[in-house]
Amino acid sequence: MSDRITRTGSSVTAATAVQAAPAAVADQPRRFCVPLSATRRGARLARLLAVEQLRSWGLLLDPAQLIVAELATNAALHGRVPGRSFRLTLALTLPNTLRIEVMDARGERLPGRTPVGGSGLAEGGYGLLLVEELADRWGVVDGPAPSKTVWAELDLKG
């Protein structure tokens, strides 16, 4: 999905966020895409909007809502550039795959897992381990400059 990041205000409303294919056309792929402020509030809104979209498509919420929450939080905390938004995209494609994408404006800062082990318990660094366990596939795509997209796919039961 190669759309560019769009600047936004501090929030977005659900009424302006939905850009999905008509529900009456069951055989066509469906897509939901929304820019959100790169803040904790934007990350929370990403999860809430994803839950509503998944419900409207008749899909189970877990584990997709957990993946959205983690990727959106990472975008808000680690991919934040002042004045720039991050973008959440959900795509229901054939054959039966849900693709979750979060694009942020920090393409030079690629996600990585914090090494587990050593002395003491770390407070962070477990999010991508969670995504890796929950998703069937995940990865990172560079660009368009200066952005990157972290994506995860879930194979849906037919």
Side-chain angles (χ1 to χ4, degrees):
M1 322 258 158
S2 62
D3 298 337
R4 298 184 78 61
I5 294 175
T6 305
R7 292 179 186 264
T8 64
S10 61
S11 65
V12 65
T13 63
T16 62
V18 178
Q19 298 174 356
V25 185
D27 292 344
Q28 291 185 346
R30 298 179 187 184
R31 188 169 188 264
F32 170 85
C33 186
V34 60
L36 297 154
S37 63
T39 61
R40 290 180 187 269
R41 177 181 243 172
R44 181 176 181 270
L45 185 56
R47 184 186 59 80
L48 294 172
L49 291 171
V51 163
E52 289 307 312
Q53 189 60 50
L54 293 169
R55 281 187 181 138
S56 77
W57 287 343
L59 298 177
L60 296 175
L61 300 180
D62 288 326
Q65 73 173 333
L66 298 171
I67 293 170
V68 168
E70 182 54 41
L71 296 183
T73 299
N74 283 352
L77 295 178
H78 307 295
R80 185 175 195 275
V81 172
R84 299 293 303 265
S85 61
F86 72 90
R87 187 182 68 206
L88 168 67
T89 303
L90 302 176
L92 186 57
T93 61
L94 299 175
N96 297 327
T97 300
L98 174 65
R99 184 174 174 100
I100 301 163
E101 296 181 347
V102 175
M103 177 189 274
D104 67 48
R106 296 284 305 265
E108 79 283 359
R109 204 165 180 191
L110 297 177
R113 296 184 301 179
T114 301
V116 177
S119 61
L121 292 174
E123 282 187 29
Y126 295 99
L128 289 176
L129 288 172
L130 179 67
V131 170
E132 187 173 315
E133 285 300 313
L134 295 174
D136 293 300
R137 292 165 296 285
W138 78 278
V140 181
V141 177
D142 290 321
S147 64
K148 70 173 174 301
T149 301
V150 182
W151 59 269
E153 290 183 339
L154 294 169
D155 294 331
L156 305 173
K157 306 291 185 248

